[in-house]
Amino acid sequence: MLEKLIIQKTLRVPVSTGAAGDGTPVARQLDVALLDVGFSASRALLEHIGALAPAPAMDLAATVVSAVRELVGDHVRHNAYFIGFPDGVPDTHEFWTERLRAAVFTGEGTATDEQLRDAVASGAVNLLDLPAYGTYQHTYAELLAAHDELVTAAGDRMTLLHLGDAAEVEATRLYLALAGSSTPLGEADLAILSELAVACVDGAQPAEIPVRENRAVLNGIRLVLGRPLVGVDTTTDVLRLACQVSGGDASLATPTRFRAFRRPERRMLLAALNDVVGASPGKLGDVVRYAERWKRLGERLHPHEYDQWPHAQAVFEVARGERRVPTLAGRAEAAIRGGAIGSATSVLSAAPGLLLRSADRLLRLASEPERGGVVEAVAGALGSASGRVLLSLREHLDNRLTPLSARIYASRSRSAWVGPDERPPLPSELVAELSSLLDAEIGARLRQPERKLVVDPEVLDVALPLSGKAAEGGFAVLPRGSRASVSGELLRFFTYWRQASRRTDYDLSVLLLDDEFHGAGQVSWTNYRHEGVVHSGDVTDATNGATEFIDVPLTTGGRYVVPQVFIYAGESFDEVAESMFGYQARTRDQLGAPFDARTVRARSHLRGQGRIALPMVFARSESGWQAVWLHLYLPGTPSFNRVEDNTFTTADRVRALMERRYLTVSYLVDRWRAQAEVTMWNGRLPDEPITFIGIQAPEDLPDGSEVYTLDRLSELIPD
């Protein structure tokens, strides 16, 4: 499992320690098998497998194939309701009429139109229970037999797999990178970190763990295994840890039902609390924010039984309201409400990160004489705040010169709220001054490449991964706001889900929007066709898994193509056994089965909160089509969600995100240009080692080269 995880995360295959021999036939078979799913093995990887004995060579090859098939969604069978899709899909009304006739017809002959109207008017017919509706009427093998082989095209995806180091070395490297990340990790990476933490608990540890959620994951493992806790320096760190080991939310976005703790665990948690408060009593101020959760935790930890830790007992006294502790945020808020912006700025200067996050509000509320003081305080805080906070403020300023058509708030759970932007724009000279200060500080903190810096142009429009929470796990998944060019003549969207315990109906739909983000048509289970866009048919039960597809020719008339997944009934995205979304890019004459891994450009998990998934939007520009990642979930209704009922809500959010300006990799490259030699990748291998930044690593870079691809872009964020 560890080897598969490493391959999927890094596209590096750990070397095998198996016996030497002649594994050349296995290497050739692996090369062919990988090509069938859009991957290729580097020369070094094929040579390594070829030098193994047949048995270990076969074991390694099987692990590699299994890992990459799962990565692109090829580990399940993607059947389609209409066996000939995209051909043979009937007109929507004709299809429903045929199903209705089958439902009301008894005996020989054909039901009349009058009988159909009477049946519908009576309300006795449930359309979703019509005969042969919503369940596959053919096997997966029959589907494959009905389609010709895929015609390979020059534009088909080819992803290169590289040979790595020993599994232990790769695991340690990945563990240190994730644990020491300066940006929050997404759910998928947190799960990987948890697995690696078990394997690496007694090995090398990162010098610093900047993200507190990461500390909670690591300390959760250490608490259970009885190892000393690391990096606990606030009371909230202990609360996060208790939530993590209780199977709850370590980000504290939602309450956790705490489990019972063993006595050694209670002692470790209370001792950690005692040390934190004893070293800095002011940190009791953090307790008030989560007072109710502290009360519930106290019921599990029994702090009154441990008189040797009085500072830990004080935490629960504050939570119960028996002791009052003023908080920095509370003092600042009181000053702001009293109109004393200078005083509020002075208070917040003790917390540089909080000051920078409050900078816009302070600048808007400050009088002209006070504004200079706010700018001076912000400038003084830049050197103490994290690089992620600096970049977030820099991106924020880029969007404050003019009012936005709509203001969007995206939460850590990837839900979104949109409202009018009623903030007055910041003066252009003020934005320019702050941006210049931030550019200088960020540029000074960037890691200086020891070698010539070579950048793949395709990575320039990838949004900086300031938080892993703004993206899903999967294959070729980019952070929210990232743009990628789209090739081919046809987009094919797919969603797959497999229910856990009750009947679950997901619906793949496409909304078309015009230049003004107004509805220009839709395709879904209620409308199989629209101007060349075709739906594969509705599947309403996923006991053994179900897939729906939609084909969108890139000649379609819409300016924006918005694929969505609606929960019509049943389990949520977090409850189902498995769910995914992805897209393929094809030429019109490629034929093949509805799903072919070689044409998959990206595949993401669907695991967010909400009843409507909005993974991405495709936008037409003068230079062609671009895929823009959204990673949003809308609340919808508990059941019966349909694209027709959410057109305005979806369009509103798409517009807000499309108009927002994101900091991308090109921003960091511009900072590097002032300090080092930067060259764009042209496909030609250099003679000397380089530092390469791109979507995926080229083969045969000179030894000693440093490579930053999608899995490592967060490491470019300065500390």
Side-chain angles (χ1 to χ4, degrees), residues 435-465:
S435 296
S436 178
L437 291 170
L438 285 162
D439 290 344
E441 179 65 28
I442 292 168
R445 291 199 198 183
L446 284 178
R447 300 179 185 179
Q448 299 305 307
E450 298 178 359
R451 312 166 191 83
K452 180 179 178 181
L453 182 60
V454 180
V455 181
D456 183 350
E458 290 188 5
V459 81
L460 292 177
D461 287 332
V462 174
L464 293 179

PDB file of all heavy atoms in Angstrom, residues 435-465:
ATOM      1  N   SER A 435       1.360  46.828  -2.516  1.00  0.00           N
ATOM      2  CA  SER A 435       1.785  45.750  -3.419  1.00  0.00           C
ATOM      3  C   SER A 435       3.294  45.770  -3.592  1.00  0.00           C
ATOM      4  O   SER A 435       3.951  44.717  -3.621  1.00  0.00           O
ATOM      5  CB  SER A 435       1.099  45.894  -4.777  1.00  0.00           C
ATOM      6  OG  SER A 435      -0.296  45.742  -4.654  1.00  0.00           O
ATOM      7  N   SER A 436       3.870  46.963  -3.693  1.00  0.00           N
ATOM      8  CA  SER A 436       5.322  47.074  -3.840  1.00  0.00           C
ATOM      9  C   SER A 436       6.045  46.550  -2.599  1.00  0.00           C
ATOM     10  O   SER A 436       7.051  45.837  -2.701  1.00  0.00           O
ATOM     11  CB  SER A 436       5.696  48.533  -4.094  1.00  0.00           C
ATOM     12  OG  SER A 436       7.094  48.680  -4.196  1.00  0.00           O
ATOM     13  N   LEU A 437       5.518  46.893  -1.425  1.00  0.00           N
ATOM     14  CA  LEU A 437       6.115  46.392  -0.184  1.00  0.00           C
ATOM     15  C   LEU A 437       6.044  44.870  -0.114  1.00  0.00           C
ATOM     16  O   LEU A 437       7.009  44.198   0.275  1.00  0.00           O
ATOM     17  CB  LEU A 437       5.398  47.007   1.019  1.00  0.00           C
ATOM     18  CG  LEU A 437       5.596  48.509   1.260  1.00  0.00           C
ATOM     19  CD1 LEU A 437       4.639  49.007   2.338  1.00  0.00           C
ATOM     20  CD2 LEU A 437       7.044  48.788   1.666  1.00  0.00           C
ATOM     21  N   LEU A 438       4.886  44.328  -0.475  1.00  0.00           N
ATOM     22  CA  LEU A 438       4.710  42.878  -0.444  1.00  0.00           C
ATOM     23  C   LEU A 438       5.608  42.196  -1.465  1.00  0.00           C
ATOM     24  O   LEU A 438       6.228  41.162  -1.177  1.00  0.00           O
ATOM     25  CB  LEU A 438       3.242  42.525  -0.713  1.00  0.00           C
ATOM     26  CG  LEU A 438       2.287  42.789   0.454  1.00  0.00           C
ATOM     27  CD1 LEU A 438       0.842  42.833  -0.037  1.00  0.00           C
ATOM     28  CD2 LEU A 438       2.439  41.716   1.517  1.00  0.00           C
ATOM     29  N   ASP A 439       5.712  42.755  -2.666  1.00  0.00           N
ATOM     30  CA  ASP A 439       6.561  42.158  -3.699  1.00  0.00           C
ATOM     31  C   ASP A 439       8.009  42.070  -3.226  1.00  0.00           C
ATOM     32  O   ASP A 439       8.696  41.060  -3.445  1.00  0.00           O
ATOM     33  CB  ASP A 439       6.488  42.979  -4.990  1.00  0.00           C
ATOM     34  CG  ASP A 439       5.143  42.863  -5.689  1.00  0.00           C
ATOM     35  OD1 ASP A 439       4.379  41.941  -5.354  1.00  0.00           O
ATOM     36  OD2 ASP A 439       4.862  43.694  -6.576  1.00  0.00           O
ATOM     37  N   ALA A 440       8.463  43.123  -2.574  1.00  0.00           N
ATOM     38  CA  ALA A 440       9.843  43.131  -2.097  1.00  0.00           C
ATOM     39  C   ALA A 440      10.064  42.082  -1.011  1.00  0.00           C
ATOM     40  O   ALA A 440      11.063  41.352  -1.025  1.00  0.00           O
ATOM     41  CB  ALA A 440      10.196  44.527  -1.574  1.00  0.00           C
ATOM     42  N   GLU A 441       9.127  41.986  -0.058  1.00  0.00           N
ATOM     43  CA  GLU A 441       9.274  41.019   1.028  1.00  0.00           C
ATOM     44  C   GLU A 441       9.175  39.587   0.507  1.00  0.00           C
ATOM     45  O   GLU A 441       9.970  38.714   0.899  1.00  0.00           O
ATOM     46  CB  GLU A 441       8.203  41.264   2.086  1.00  0.00           C
ATOM     47  CG  GLU A 441       8.242  40.301   3.265  1.00  0.00           C
ATOM     48  CD  GLU A 441       9.487  40.420   4.107  1.00  0.00           C
ATOM     49  OE1 GLU A 441      10.070  41.532   4.154  1.00  0.00           O
ATOM     50  OE2 GLU A 441       9.888  39.417   4.724  1.00  0.00           O
ATOM     51  N   ILE A 442       8.211  39.337  -0.371  1.00  0.00           N
ATOM     52  CA  ILE A 442       8.048  37.980  -0.923  1.00  0.00           C
ATOM     53  C   ILE A 442       9.263  37.597  -1.747  1.00  0.00           C
ATOM     54  O   ILE A 442       9.784  36.476  -1.637  1.00  0.00           O
ATOM     55  CB  ILE A 442       6.758  37.913  -1.765  1.00  0.00           C
ATOM     56  CG1 ILE A 442       5.530  38.051  -0.860  1.00  0.00           C
ATOM     57  CG2 ILE A 442       6.691  36.605  -2.555  1.00  0.00           C
ATOM     58  CD1 ILE A 442       4.236  38.294  -1.616  1.00  0.00           C
ATOM     59  N   GLY A 443       9.748  38.529  -2.589  1.00  0.00           N
ATOM     60  CA  GLY A 443      10.922  38.242  -3.409  1.00  0.00           C
ATOM     61  C   GLY A 443      12.146  37.927  -2.570  1.00  0.00           C
ATOM     62  O   GLY A 443      12.941  37.039  -2.910  1.00  0.00           O
ATOM     63  N   ALA A 444      12.296  38.632  -1.443  1.00  0.00           N
ATOM     64  CA  ALA A 444      13.455  38.396  -0.573  1.00  0.00           C
ATOM     65  C   ALA A 444      13.383  37.041   0.109  1.00  0.00           C
ATOM     66  O   ALA A 444      14.422  36.480   0.481  1.00  0.00           O
ATOM     67  CB  ALA A 444      13.546  39.508   0.468  1.00  0.00           C
ATOM     68  N   ARG A 445      12.178  36.509   0.284  1.00  0.00           N
ATOM     69  CA  ARG A 445      12.027  35.224   0.981  1.00  0.00           C
ATOM     70  C   ARG A 445      12.086  34.019   0.055  1.00  0.00           C
ATOM     71  O   ARG A 445      12.190  32.888   0.525  1.00  0.00           O
ATOM     72  CB  ARG A 445      10.685  35.188   1.718  1.00  0.00           C
ATOM     73  CG  ARG A 445      10.589  36.128   2.883  1.00  0.00           C
ATOM     74  CD  ARG A 445       9.456  35.678   3.772  1.00  0.00           C
ATOM     75  NE  ARG A 445       9.009  36.697   4.679  1.00  0.00           N
ATOM     76  CZ  ARG A 445       8.072  36.517   5.593  1.00  0.00           C
ATOM     77  NH1 ARG A 445       7.463  35.333   5.675  1.00  0.00           N
ATOM     78  NH2 ARG A 445       7.710  37.485   6.392  1.00  0.00           N
ATOM     79  N   LEU A 446      11.950  34.229  -1.236  1.00  0.00           N
ATOM     80  CA  LEU A 446      11.946  33.088  -2.155  1.00  0.00           C
ATOM     81  C   LEU A 446      13.251  32.314  -2.063  1.00  0.00           C
ATOM     82  O   LEU A 446      14.330  32.901  -1.925  1.00  0.00           O
ATOM     83  CB  LEU A 446      11.748  33.563  -3.596  1.00  0.00           C
ATOM     84  CG  LEU A 446      10.342  33.983  -4.003  1.00  0.00           C
ATOM     85  CD1 LEU A 446      10.343  34.476  -5.449  1.00  0.00           C
ATOM     86  CD2 LEU A 446       9.366  32.825  -3.854  1.00  0.00           C
ATOM     87  N   ARG A 447      13.129  31.007  -2.167  1.00  0.00           N
ATOM     88  CA  ARG A 447      14.339  30.183  -2.189  1.00  0.00           C
ATOM     89  C   ARG A 447      15.120  30.482  -3.451  1.00  0.00           C
ATOM     90  O   ARG A 447      14.593  30.447  -4.563  1.00  0.00           O
ATOM     91  CB  ARG A 447      13.959  28.698  -2.156  1.00  0.00           C
ATOM     92  CG  ARG A 447      13.180  28.303  -0.919  1.00  0.00           C
ATOM     93  CD  ARG A 447      12.811  26.837  -0.963  1.00  0.00           C
ATOM     94  NE  ARG A 447      11.957  26.478   0.167  1.00  0.00           N
ATOM     95  CZ  ARG A 447      11.461  25.271   0.374  1.00  0.00           C
ATOM     96  NH1 ARG A 447      11.730  24.292  -0.485  1.00  0.00           N
ATOM     97  NH2 ARG A 447      10.703  25.033   1.423  1.00  0.00           N
ATOM     98  N   GLN A 448      16.387  30.776  -3.286  1.00  0.00           N
ATOM     99  CA  GLN A 448      17.208  31.103  -4.439  1.00  0.00           C
ATOM    100  C   GLN A 448      17.688  29.828  -5.125  1.00  0.00           C
ATOM    101  O   GLN A 448      18.363  28.996  -4.507  1.00  0.00           O
ATOM    102  CB  GLN A 448      18.419  31.941  -4.002  1.00  0.00           C
ATOM    103  CG  GLN A 448      18.038  33.268  -3.369  1.00  0.00           C
ATOM    104  CD  GLN A 448      17.146  34.085  -4.275  1.00  0.00           C
ATOM    105  OE1 GLN A 448      17.471  34.337  -5.431  1.00  0.00           O
ATOM    106  NE2 GLN A 448      15.992  34.497  -3.762  1.00  0.00           N
ATOM    107  N   PRO A 449      17.328  29.641  -6.393  1.00  0.00           N
ATOM    108  CA  PRO A 449      17.769  28.426  -7.095  1.00  0.00           C
ATOM    109  C   PRO A 449      19.294  28.364  -7.173  1.00  0.00           C
ATOM    110  O   PRO A 449      19.952  29.370  -7.472  1.00  0.00           O
ATOM    111  CB  PRO A 449      17.154  28.589  -8.500  1.00  0.00           C
ATOM    112  CG  PRO A 449      16.069  29.607  -8.343  1.00  0.00           C
ATOM    113  CD  PRO A 449      16.515  30.519  -7.244  1.00  0.00           C
ATOM    114  N   GLU A 450      19.831  27.202  -6.852  1.00  0.00           N
ATOM    115  CA  GLU A 450      21.279  27.037  -6.926  1.00  0.00           C
ATOM    116  C   GLU A 450      21.723  26.811  -8.368  1.00  0.00           C
ATOM    117  O   GLU A 450      22.904  26.925  -8.681  1.00  0.00           O
ATOM    118  CB  GLU A 450      21.709  25.848  -6.058  1.00  0.00           C
ATOM    119  CG  GLU A 450      21.381  26.036  -4.572  1.00  0.00           C
ATOM    120  CD  GLU A 450      21.779  24.832  -3.751  1.00  0.00           C
ATOM    121  OE1 GLU A 450      22.301  23.850  -4.344  1.00  0.00           O
ATOM    122  OE2 GLU A 450      21.583  24.862  -2.520  1.00  0.00           O
ATOM    123  N   ARG A 451      20.765  26.511  -9.232  1.00  0.00           N
ATOM    124  CA  ARG A 451      21.077  26.234 -10.630  1.00  0.00           C
ATOM    125  C   ARG A 451      20.195  27.104 -11.515  1.00  0.00           C
ATOM    126  O   ARG A 451      19.309  27.806 -11.040  1.00  0.00           O
ATOM    127  CB  ARG A 451      20.839  24.757 -10.953  1.00  0.00           C
ATOM    128  CG  ARG A 451      21.457  23.809  -9.938  1.00  0.00           C
ATOM    129  CD  ARG A 451      20.918  22.407 -10.100  1.00  0.00           C
ATOM    130  NE  ARG A 451      21.307  21.545  -8.990  1.00  0.00           N
ATOM    131  CZ  ARG A 451      20.671  21.486  -7.819  1.00  0.00           C
ATOM    132  NH1 ARG A 451      19.603  22.239  -7.625  1.00  0.00           N
ATOM    133  NH2 ARG A 451      21.080  20.692  -6.866  1.00  0.00           N
ATOM    134  N   LYS A 452      20.409  27.026 -12.776  1.00  0.00           N
ATOM    135  CA  LYS A 452      19.587  27.753 -13.745  1.00  0.00           C
ATOM    136  C   LYS A 452      18.132  27.322 -13.591  1.00  0.00           C
ATOM    137  O   LYS A 452      17.828  26.141 -13.477  1.00  0.00           O
ATOM    138  CB  LYS A 452      20.079  27.440 -15.158  1.00  0.00           C
ATOM    139  CG  LYS A 452      19.304  28.126 -16.259  1.00  0.00           C
ATOM    140  CD  LYS A 452      19.895  27.758 -17.614  1.00  0.00           C
ATOM    141  CE  LYS A 452      19.120  28.389 -18.750  1.00  0.00           C
ATOM    142  NZ  LYS A 452      19.684  28.013 -20.074  1.00  0.00           N
ATOM    143  N   LEU A 453      17.215  28.289 -13.578  1.00  0.00           N
ATOM    144  CA  LEU A 453      15.797  28.008 -13.384  1.00  0.00           C
ATOM    145  C   LEU A 453      15.116  27.880 -14.735  1.00  0.00           C
ATOM    146  O   LEU A 453      15.148  28.810 -15.558  1.00  0.00           O
ATOM    147  CB  LEU A 453      15.145  29.129 -12.574  1.00  0.00           C
ATOM    148  CG  LEU A 453      13.669  28.970 -12.231  1.00  0.00           C
ATOM    149  CD1 LEU A 453      13.433  27.713 -11.410  1.00  0.00           C
ATOM    150  CD2 LEU A 453      13.172  30.200 -11.455  1.00  0.00           C
ATOM    151  N   VAL A 454      14.492  26.727 -14.972  1.00  0.00           N
ATOM    152  CA  VAL A 454      13.792  26.456 -16.226  1.00  0.00           C
ATOM    153  C   VAL A 454      12.324  26.199 -15.901  1.00  0.00           C
ATOM    154  O   VAL A 454      12.011  25.359 -15.049  1.00  0.00           O
ATOM    155  CB  VAL A 454      14.396  25.248 -16.966  1.00  0.00           C
ATOM    156  CG1 VAL A 454      13.642  24.983 -18.260  1.00  0.00           C
ATOM    157  CG2 VAL A 454      15.877  25.500 -17.254  1.00  0.00           C
ATOM    158  N   VAL A 455      11.427  26.905 -16.573  1.00  0.00           N
ATOM    159  CA  VAL A 455      10.004  26.856 -16.258  1.00  0.00           C
ATOM    160  C   VAL A 455       9.216  26.417 -17.483  1.00  0.00           C
ATOM    161  O   VAL A 455       9.388  26.978 -18.574  1.00  0.00           O
ATOM    162  CB  VAL A 455       9.491  28.232 -15.779  1.00  0.00           C
ATOM    163  CG1 VAL A 455       8.006  28.159 -15.438  1.00  0.00           C
ATOM    164  CG2 VAL A 455      10.298  28.716 -14.581  1.00  0.00           C
ATOM    165  N   ASP A 456       8.346  25.417 -17.302  1.00  0.00           N
ATOM    166  CA  ASP A 456       7.437  24.982 -18.355  1.00  0.00           C
ATOM    167  C   ASP A 456       6.322  26.017 -18.485  1.00  0.00           C
ATOM    168  O   ASP A 456       5.634  26.312 -17.500  1.00  0.00           O
ATOM    169  CB  ASP A 456       6.856  23.613 -17.998  1.00  0.00           C
ATOM    170  CG  ASP A 456       5.955  23.046 -19.087  1.00  0.00           C
ATOM    171  OD1 ASP A 456       5.626  23.773 -20.034  1.00  0.00           O
ATOM    172  OD2 ASP A 456       5.572  21.865 -18.975  1.00  0.00           O
ATOM    173  N   PRO A 457       6.100  26.615 -19.661  1.00  0.00           N
ATOM    174  CA  PRO A 457       5.048  27.636 -19.808  1.00  0.00           C
ATOM    175  C   PRO A 457       3.670  27.156 -19.367  1.00  0.00           C
ATOM    176  O   PRO A 457       2.834  27.971 -18.953  1.00  0.00           O
ATOM    177  CB  PRO A 457       5.070  27.954 -21.311  1.00  0.00           C
ATOM    178  CG  PRO A 457       6.447  27.595 -21.760  1.00  0.00           C
ATOM    179  CD  PRO A 457       6.843  26.413 -20.919  1.00  0.00           C
ATOM    180  N   GLU A 458       3.397  25.836 -19.421  1.00  0.00           N
ATOM    181  CA  GLU A 458       2.078  25.328 -19.058  1.00  0.00           C
ATOM    182  C   GLU A 458       1.764  25.505 -17.572  1.00  0.00           C
ATOM    183  O   GLU A 458       0.600  25.470 -17.178  1.00  0.00           O
ATOM    184  CB  GLU A 458       1.959  23.846 -19.430  1.00  0.00           C
ATOM    185  CG  GLU A 458       1.903  23.592 -20.927  1.00  0.00           C
ATOM    186  CD  GLU A 458       1.590  22.143 -21.226  1.00  0.00           C
ATOM    187  OE1 GLU A 458       1.335  21.377 -20.269  1.00  0.00           O
ATOM    188  OE2 GLU A 458       1.613  21.765 -22.416  1.00  0.00           O
ATOM    189  N   VAL A 459       2.794  25.717 -16.750  1.00  0.00           N
ATOM    190  CA  VAL A 459       2.561  25.842 -15.310  1.00  0.00           C
ATOM    191  C   VAL A 459       2.323  27.291 -14.894  1.00  0.00           C
ATOM    192  O   VAL A 459       1.933  27.552 -13.755  1.00  0.00           O
ATOM    193  CB  VAL A 459       3.755  25.246 -14.527  1.00  0.00           C
ATOM    194  CG1 VAL A 459       4.911  26.245 -14.441  1.00  0.00           C
ATOM    195  CG2 VAL A 459       3.341  24.786 -13.136  1.00  0.00           C
ATOM    196  N   LEU A 460       2.525  28.234 -15.787  1.00  0.00           N
ATOM    197  CA  LEU A 460       2.450  29.647 -15.411  1.00  0.00           C
ATOM    198  C   LEU A 460       1.059  30.060 -14.948  1.00  0.00           C
ATOM    199  O   LEU A 460       0.911  30.943 -14.102  1.00  0.00           O
ATOM    200  CB  LEU A 460       2.889  30.526 -16.585  1.00  0.00           C
ATOM    201  CG  LEU A 460       4.367  30.433 -16.966  1.00  0.00           C
ATOM    202  CD1 LEU A 460       4.647  31.295 -18.189  1.00  0.00           C
ATOM    203  CD2 LEU A 460       5.267  30.846 -15.804  1.00  0.00           C
ATOM    204  N   ASP A 461       0.005  29.455 -15.505  1.00  0.00           N
ATOM    205  CA  ASP A 461      -1.361  29.826 -15.145  1.00  0.00           C
ATOM    206  C   ASP A 461      -1.934  28.967 -14.026  1.00  0.00           C
ATOM    207  O   ASP A 461      -3.137  29.026 -13.753  1.00  0.00           O
ATOM    208  CB  ASP A 461      -2.277  29.735 -16.373  1.00  0.00           C
ATOM    209  CG  ASP A 461      -2.023  30.856 -17.365  1.00  0.00           C
ATOM    210  OD1 ASP A 461      -1.579  31.927 -16.928  1.00  0.00           O
ATOM    211  OD2 ASP A 461      -2.271  30.663 -18.571  1.00  0.00           O
ATOM    212  N   VAL A 462      -1.104  28.192 -13.362  1.00  0.00           N
ATOM    213  CA  VAL A 462      -1.559  27.415 -12.207  1.00  0.00           C
ATOM    214  C   VAL A 462      -1.575  28.322 -10.988  1.00  0.00           C
ATOM    215  O   VAL A 462      -0.580  28.975 -10.658  1.00  0.00           O
ATOM    216  CB  VAL A 462      -0.639  26.205 -11.953  1.00  0.00           C
ATOM    217  CG1 VAL A 462      -1.042  25.489 -10.668  1.00  0.00           C
ATOM    218  CG2 VAL A 462      -0.691  25.246 -13.135  1.00  0.00           C
ATOM    219  N   ALA A 463      -2.733  28.409 -10.322  1.00  0.00           N
ATOM    220  CA  ALA A 463      -2.853  29.253  -9.135  1.00  0.00           C
ATOM    221  C   ALA A 463      -1.940  28.737  -8.032  1.00  0.00           C
ATOM    222  O   ALA A 463      -1.781  27.525  -7.851  1.00  0.00           O
ATOM    223  CB  ALA A 463      -4.302  29.293  -8.657  1.00  0.00           C
ATOM    224  N   LEU A 464      -1.344  29.652  -7.298  1.00  0.00           N
ATOM    225  CA  LEU A 464      -0.470  29.240  -6.198  1.00  0.00           C
ATOM    226  C   LEU A 464      -1.284  28.461  -5.160  1.00  0.00           C
ATOM    227  O   LEU A 464      -2.357  28.910  -4.741  1.00  0.00           O
ATOM    228  CB  LEU A 464       0.164  30.463  -5.539  1.00  0.00           C
ATOM    229  CG  LEU A 464       1.164  31.239  -6.399  1.00  0.00           C
ATOM    230  CD1 LEU A 464       1.696  32.441  -5.630  1.00  0.00           C
ATOM    231  CD2 LEU A 464       2.316  30.346  -6.836  1.00  0.00           C
ATOM    232  N   PRO A 465      -0.790  27.313  -4.743  1.00  0.00           N
ATOM    233  CA  PRO A 465      -1.537  26.483  -3.782  1.00  0.00           C
ATOM    234  C   PRO A 465      -1.405  27.025  -2.365  1.00  0.00           C
ATOM    235  O   PRO A 465      -0.713  26.454  -1.518  1.00  0.00           O
ATOM    236  CB  PRO A 465      -0.881  25.106  -3.932  1.00  0.00           C
ATOM    237  CG  PRO A 465       0.525  25.411  -4.352  1.00  0.00           C
ATOM    238  CD  PRO A 465       0.455  26.662  -5.190  1.00  0.00           C
TER     239      PRO A 465
END
